Every structure is written in C-alpha cells, then in structure tokens.
Amino acid sequence: MRSVLILGATGSIGCNTLDVLAGYPEQYQVFALTAAQNWQKLLEQIRQFQPAYAVMTDADAAVLLKQAVSDAGLATEVLSGTAALAELAAHPDVDIVMAAIVGAAGLLPTLAAVEQGKTVLLANKEALVMTGELFIQKVKQHGATLLPIDSEHNAIFQCLPSALQQDTANQQLADYGISKLLLTGSGGPFLRKDLADFERITPAQAVAHPNWVMGQKISVDSATMMNKGLEFIEARWLFNCRPDDIQVVIHPQSIIHSMVQYADGSVLAQLGQPDMRTPIAHALAFPQRISTNVKPLDFFALTEFSFAKPCAERYPCLYLAKQACALGQGATTALNAANEVSVAAFLAEQIRFTDIARFNALALDHFAAVKASSLEHILQLDSEARAFVLQKIKEMH
C-alpha cells in the first residue's frame, strides 16, 4: 500500500489521478488532497477517498470546507494556507506526491517533497522552468524519484532505454545513441486561423482546445504554444540535454505524444488517446503497468497523421521560450512569471490575445541578463517580473 498526496486535487490532473487511484484501493491510499478555492469539489473527493488531511489555500474556503466536513461526520482534518502544502508534501507517511498545482504556486511544496526524497509525479512544469538547475540538484542530493506526467515528457520517458530511465539526471543522451527529442504539440485551436484575425481572439475561443480538456490557463498557453515552450525548457532539465537536442513538431491529431530519434535512424514514438490517465497510470505504477479506463487506439479509425514546423509569426511565445532556455535560469523564471500575469490579464479581458506575446517579450528583454542561482533570488525575480508586466499593462490603459 503506497500513500499518495495530490497537490491540486480539484484540477484536471488531480481529478484524473483520483480516477486512476479509485481502481486500485488495495495498492494506493489517498493520504491528503489540496485545492485553492473549490471546496465543494474537494468535499466530494473527501467523501469518496476519506484522506487523513485536506488543505484549502484560500482561508475563507478552508472555513467553509471545515464546517462541511464536520457536518458530514467525516474524520478528515482540514488545514489552511500555503505553508500546509509544504508540510504535507514532506510528511513521513507520504510516499508519492502528485505535483499538479498550476503555475509558480506549486513550486515550494514540490521542492519540499523532493527534499524528503519522495517519489514526485511532476505535472507542474513551472517548477522546472523556474528552478531547473536547482531543482535537479536537489533531486540528486536527496535521492528523490522524479517521473514526468506531462503527456509529452512521459512519452519521451517511455521511449528511453530502461537504464537511462533509472537515472536521467546524471546520464547523457548521446551515450545511449539518442540524437534528438521530438516534442509534439497540437498547434492549439488557431493552427489554421488567419493571422490578421488574431487580435480579435476572445478568451472563450482560446480555451476551447480541439483535443484536450484542460484548465483555462494551460488552454491559453496551448493556444499561444507557450505551453510547448515551457515543456521545451522542462525537457532540457528532465533529460539532461541541450536546447539543440530538442525539436518541436506540430502534430494536430495529438495521437503521437512525443518521439525519440536515435543515431541509427530509428525513431521511437509513444501513441495513445489524448487522455491524461495514461501518463498518470504509467508514473504511478512505474516500472510496472496498470490498466485504466482509457480506450486503446483503433488504428482503422485514424484517418490522418500530419506534421508541421511551428511558425514564429503564429507562435511567438514558443520562440521566446526557446530563447529564454538558451539564456538561462533568470530568463526562464522571468518569462514564466510574465506569462502567468499576461494570460490572467487576457482571461480578464484587460489585454488582447496578441498582447500576451508582446508583454512576455518586454519582460524577457528586461530581465534577460539577470542571474538567479538561489531559491531566494528566483522567488525575488519571479515577483519583480510580475510587477514589471502589471505596470506595463497599467501603462497601456
């Protein structure tokens, strides 16, 4: 029986994780669940899985959840605030931490889990974007196990030789005959939209992803392909490689989740339905395999496999991320912070869709040369980059 903490239980990844866990009550115990504000959804999950602890980071939501749990006669202890996230992530009774809080908010509890040598299922790409080198150093130092949940990184992981899977942080891809990591992306909802119409794109249009069901922020990132840019940076750290070792390929059908190209001309690909329960189940049971409710591919129903090179005019955010990856930790931290602010402003209809890339570019240019080698410096830079973009948005109005 392995004990699981889910950071971000009410989000898409959290709900899918619980769906997988529900099929294996004899193998996994849900120790704790966390959320930000959606206490009603968390209450439903508490009723079903009866964890020892639940955390609401929003104080008002925590009060409401605590009362509801008490009224229902449930034994779960309700905690409040962000500090409780890190405390539970480091709890001695926790074996596996699903790090599924979107954005910078997920960084500190994920690091807390790493520092206690936990098995960390990483769905929070911002943790590596913000602190890549520092994060991987801590994984090595504390003997943590890091398994990727993003469908693309999980696909690459599955296509690696088993010896490399056991120690990606210390090994070189070239030593295993690997010449390129091919990171696929759907291209989002605007793959074929006229560029002249981009300024009129609405939040409702941007969050309508053609293949995946995701939260609003990550859906907008998919539309701009910043999501793929963040994954590019994450892959650089996860697989101990150089930016030149990674290539982004648009694959609109989202059936091939990513590929690994070998020196002998072979290309290994991981295929499957666009369903996050597959990579979640893979990481939960690794190195074993467990079944899910995901239907296998029907190859006779697949009508098209197409691929394209991402266009810089259509996806400037992707190229900003690649530029930041080459510049270093300070640049990637600042770009991630700027993007979170820009996307939030777009969703609030304060700026246009095309302004997301514009403000991201301003922040990257401003902070490109800043060095961020410690956690303290990284968090300070994150704060400064957010303030910078907020000020630029204010000046625009």
Side-chain angles (χ1 to χ4, degrees):
M1 180 73 74
R2 304 190 75 193
S3 179
V4 182
L5 160 66
I6 302 178
L7 298 169
T10 60
S12 174
I13 296 294
C15 290
N16 278 311
T17 302
L18 287 171
D19 184 80
V20 174
L21 292 174
Y24 296 91
E26 72 288 352
Q27 294 183 36
Y28 302 99
Q29 173 191 13
V30 177
F31 179 77
L33 300 172
T34 84
Q37 295 178 311
N38 192 352
W39 67 269
Q40 297 96 331
K41 181 67 175 178
L42 197 63
L43 178 61
E44 292 176 20
Q45 295 172 341
I46 291 169
R47 287 182 186 275
Q48 181 178 358
F49 293 95
Q50 300 183 27
Y53 296 95
V55 180
M56 300 298 305
T57 55
D58 181 88
D60 293 335
V63 171
L64 293 169
L65 179 64
K66 193 167 188 175
Q67 185 61 54
V69 167
S70 176
D71 291 345
L74 299 166
T76 299
E77 183 178 346
V78 178
L79 306 176
S80 175
T82 55
L85 300 178
E87 289 174 14
L88 285 178
H91 197 286
D93 290 343
V94 171
D95 301 309
I96 300 171
V97 175
M98 169 58 79
I101 296 175
V102 175
L107 172 60
L108 293 180
T110 305
L111 277 173
V114 167
E115 288 171 349
Q116 292 301 315
K118 308 292 188 187
T119 294
V120 177
L121 312 189
L122 190 67
N124 172 278
K125 60 179 62 65
E126 290 83 1
L128 281 178
V129 171
M130 289 178 66
T131 68
E133 186 172 9
L134 176 69
F135 192 99
I136 295 300
Q137 283 175 353
K138 286 185 177 292
V139 168
K140 295 177 184 179
Q141 179 184 349
H142 298 285
T145 299
L146 188 63
L147 297 170
I149 295 298
D150 271 351
S151 60
E152 296 82 0
H153 301 102
N154 182 266
I156 289 170
F157 186 85
Q158 291 196 48
C159 294
L160 297 177
S162 59
L164 184 52
Q165 288 177 338
Q166 301 298 328
D167 190 20
T168 54
N170 292 300
Q171 308 269 13
Q172 298 295 317
L173 297 182
D175 292 341
Y176 291 85
I178 296 170
S179 56
K180 193 78 70 175
L181 304 180
L182 303 175
L183 200 62
T184 63
S186 70
F190 309 129
L191 176 60
R192 296 180 177 86
K193 191 175 185 68
D194 192 320
L195 289 173
D197 295 331
F198 268 43
E199 289 194 354
R200 293 185 288 276
I201 288 172
T202 67
Q205 292 171 323
V207 300
H209 195 281
N211 301 330
W212 296 93
V213 178
M214 304 180 292
Q216 286 194 320
K217 193 267 181 183
I218 194 172
S219 295
V220 174
D221 282 349
S222 180
T224 64
M225 279 196 85
M226 175 58 87
N227 195 43
K228 205 55 50 182
L230 298 178
E231 289 171 6
F232 185 99
I233 298 165
E234 185 182 4
R236 179 257 181 277
W237 293 111
L238 272 174
F239 303 113
N240 190 28
C241 63
R242 300 169 298 125
D244 289 347
D245 295 329
I246 311 165
Q247 183 177 347
V248 175
V249 179
I250 290 180
H251 170 53
Q253 295 78 28
S254 296
I255 298 298
I256 297 176
H257 298 306
S258 275
M259 299 171 276
V260 175
Q261 179 179 307
Y262 285 82
D264 62 3
S266 299
V267 177
L268 301 188
Q270 189 267 334
L271 288 71
Q273 301 284 2
D275 191 314
M276 287 306 299
R277 289 175 295 180
T278 296
I280 289 167
H282 173 265
L284 273 171
F286 182 80
Q288 307 302 319
R289 297 270 181 173
I290 56 176
S291 63
T292 66
N293 293 321
V294 180
K295 293 181 179 179
L297 283 178
D298 179 358
F299 283 90
F300 301 111
L302 299 178
T303 57
E304 183 183 13
F305 261 24
S306 59
F307 307 91
K309 184 178 181 179
C311 164
E313 284 184 307
R314 186 173 297 275
Y315 302 114
C317 282
L318 170 62
Y319 287 85
L320 288 173
K322 293 172 73 172
Q323 180 185 346
C325 188
L327 287 168
Q329 190 67 81
T332 59
T333 299
L335 180 63
N336 177 71
N339 184 65
E340 288 193 24
V341 173
S342 298
V343 170
F346 167 68
L347 287 169
E349 300 185 356
Q350 296 171 352
I351 64 174
R352 297 168 297 183
F353 182 78
T354 49
D355 288 330
I356 296 173
R358 177 183 158 218
F359 287 117
N360 289 349
L362 286 173
L364 181 58
D365 183 62
H366 185 79
F367 293 101
V370 176
K371 302 299 180 187
S373 55
S374 70
L375 183 58
E376 181 183 6
H377 290 152
I378 287 166
L379 294 176
Q380 181 181 344
L381 176 56
D382 176 80
S383 179
E384 290 175 0
R386 289 170 192 273
F388 175 84
V389 175
L390 284 170
Q391 181 60 34
K392 292 297 180 184
I393 292 173
K394 185 178 178 181
E395 290 172 3
M396 185 182 76
H397 295 291

